[in-house]
Amino acid sequence: LSVLGCANVGKTSLMQRLIGIPFNRKSSSKPSLEEEATKYCVEVQTSGGLILFNFYDWGWEQKRKDENINQQLMRGFDGALFVFDVTDRRSKGDFPEHSDWYQRAAGFDKPWLIVSNKNDQKKKAVQDGEGQALARAGHRRDFVAISLVDDSGIDEMMLMLSKLMMQDVNLSMTGPFRAASAATIAWSDDKAAQKASSIGLGLTVTKSKRVLVVSLNSAVVGKFTESVADTEFEVEAASSAEECDSEIAAAISSSSGLPIVAIAAPPIASSSQQSALQQVAQKHNIAFIVSVPRNVLDGLKRN
């Protein structure tokens, strides 16, 4: 899950509280501003079994300035927490921008839990009804009010999140939430590896076609590569329309190497860049696809 919200609303303090670190008003901890978001692993024992949540907390303000957001959201594409400060109306008003970025990166069908923080404060600039209205305005959304000072609403938040993600309104918590154990994380990683290895019934797929992915971020290219790992498509990074044009021309003139059948770009690519890439694709009569990594295979098959 992606943890979203503007600076100083308590996102990192909330994540630390979930893994057992007591709230500290003087804490100056900030989420990572590097390429990798800060990951918090939390396990919850429920009536439906053990649930492992991987929360990705990162520096929204800095990433927005750097225009380097989508690849971070892709690390939390199963759903999102939006945290705002009840004493700051601007923090709640930022929801449309966060929502737009997230939906373009991860899809429009993902669940959201909207969390109002600092409800221990007497002077509130945002009322509960406004948070509830945000939840009612979309599908698979819910709202909860919390305070890290007195821990109010934290258990309710984790139960609500469990119900929302598992789509089970009858789910109940049968034990406390806590930092995920090494055994739980290892079990989850093993299950993910088994699932990945089972795709294609374990058969080795021969790569027969190349796709140029235009992105300067290696993490984005890596996500595209993962999405087509067990298919006939091979991903190759490119930085510009000019480089794509040169690569395609070289592939056409060469009798060796895989043919280039498509150019792909993430939705964050500017309209001018998309237009330039579209022209190159039309020039060489190949497909041009604008897509988040997880949907690129569908786009390739359609085209």
Side-chain angles (χ1 to χ4, degrees):
L1 305 177
S2 283
V3 183
L4 309 178
C6 66
N8 302 314
V9 297
K11 300 187 301 296
T12 303
S13 293
L14 173 58
M15 292 298 103
Q16 291 178 337
R17 171 64 188 83
L18 294 182
I19 62 171
I21 300 175
F23 174 64
N24 181 0
R25 287 182 181 274
K26 297 180 180 180
S27 173
S28 60
S29 176
K30 300 295 181 184
S32 171
L33 297 181
E34 304 302 324
E35 184 174 286
E36 291 296 328
T38 304
K39 180 181 178 181
Y40 296 87
C41 301
V42 180
E43 64 181 38
V44 183
Q45 189 65 55
T46 73
S47 56
L50 187 69
I51 301 175
L52 173 64
F53 289 100
N54 294 317
F55 296 101
Y56 291 90
D57 178 25
W58 46 276
W60 164 267
E61 299 293 339
Q62 184 61 44
K63 291 296 180 182
R64 177 164 54 181
K65 292 176 184 177
D66 294 343
E67 297 183 351
N68 189 27
I69 297 175
N70 278 53
Q71 66 272 17
Q72 293 290 327
L73 297 178
M74 289 170 191
R75 292 173 175 79
F77 57 67
D78 288 329
L81 268 73
F82 174 73
V83 184
F84 69 89
D85 176 355
V86 294
T87 68
D88 180 2
R89 289 201 64 83
R90 183 186 68 87
S91 67
K92 178 255 181 185
D94 270 358
F95 178 75
E97 184 174 4
H98 286 77
S99 175
D100 178 64
W101 275 109
Y102 184 80
Q103 289 176 337
R104 286 201 289 161
F108 292 82
D109 59 341
K110 303 306 166 62
W112 287 77
L113 183 59
I114 297 166
V115 181
S116 71
N117 190 24
K118 306 185 183 180
N119 281 277
D120 55 284
Q121 299 295 310
K122 293 182 178 179
K123 294 183 179 180
K124 297 183 180 181
V126 184
Q127 302 304 314
D128 284 356
E130 298 178 74
Q132 292 165 353
L134 286 180
R136 289 194 300 268
H139 179 58
R140 294 185 68 191
R141 291 185 190 176
D142 218 329
F143 167 79
V144 65
I146 69 167
S147 167
L148 295 174
V149 173
D150 57 18
D151 274 354
S152 61
I154 304 296
D155 285 337
E156 181 184 0
M157 184 194 81
M158 291 308 298
L159 175 58
M160 194 175 292
L161 187 59
S162 298
K163 289 181 176 181
L164 192 62
M165 296 306 300
M166 303 306 293
Q167 301 185 60
D168 183 354
V169 297
N170 297 315
L171 200 71
S172 62
M173 288 174 57
T174 58
F177 63 83
R178 61 190 178 189
S181 67
T184 299
I185 296 173
W187 172 85
S188 177
D189 290 344
D190 182 58
K191 287 293 184 182
Q194 289 179 23
K195 182 177 179 181
S197 65
S198 68
I199 297 175
L201 301 178
L203 299 177
T204 301
V205 179
T206 301
K207 299 294 183 180
S208 59
K209 303 167 186 175
R210 272 192 293 168
V211 178
L212 299 179
V213 172
V214 182
S215 175
L216 296 176
N217 189 287
S218 59
V220 174
V221 177
K223 288 292 183 181
F224 276 98
T225 302
E226 291 173 11
S227 296
V228 299
D230 296 288
T231 73
E232 70 271 29
F233 299 105
E234 181 175 274
V235 164
E236 184 175 314
S239 60
S240 64
E242 291 76 13
E243 183 177 350
C244 288
D245 191 26
S246 175
E247 286 289 333
I248 296 168
I252 292 174
S253 62
S254 174
S255 58
S256 61
L258 303 181
I260 298 173
V261 297
I263 299 172
I268 199 172
S270 66
S271 56
S272 59
Q273 185 181 37
Q274 291 185 28
S275 177
L277 293 172
Q278 178 75 63
Q279 291 178 17
V280 172
Q282 290 177 343
K283 173 183 175 182
H284 296 286
N285 194 30
I286 65 173
F288 173 58
I289 300 163
V290 178
S291 172
V292 295
R294 66 189 312 211
N295 295 332
V296 72
L297 185 57
D298 290 338
L300 289 168
K301 291 178 177 179
R302 284 196 304 271
N303 289 276

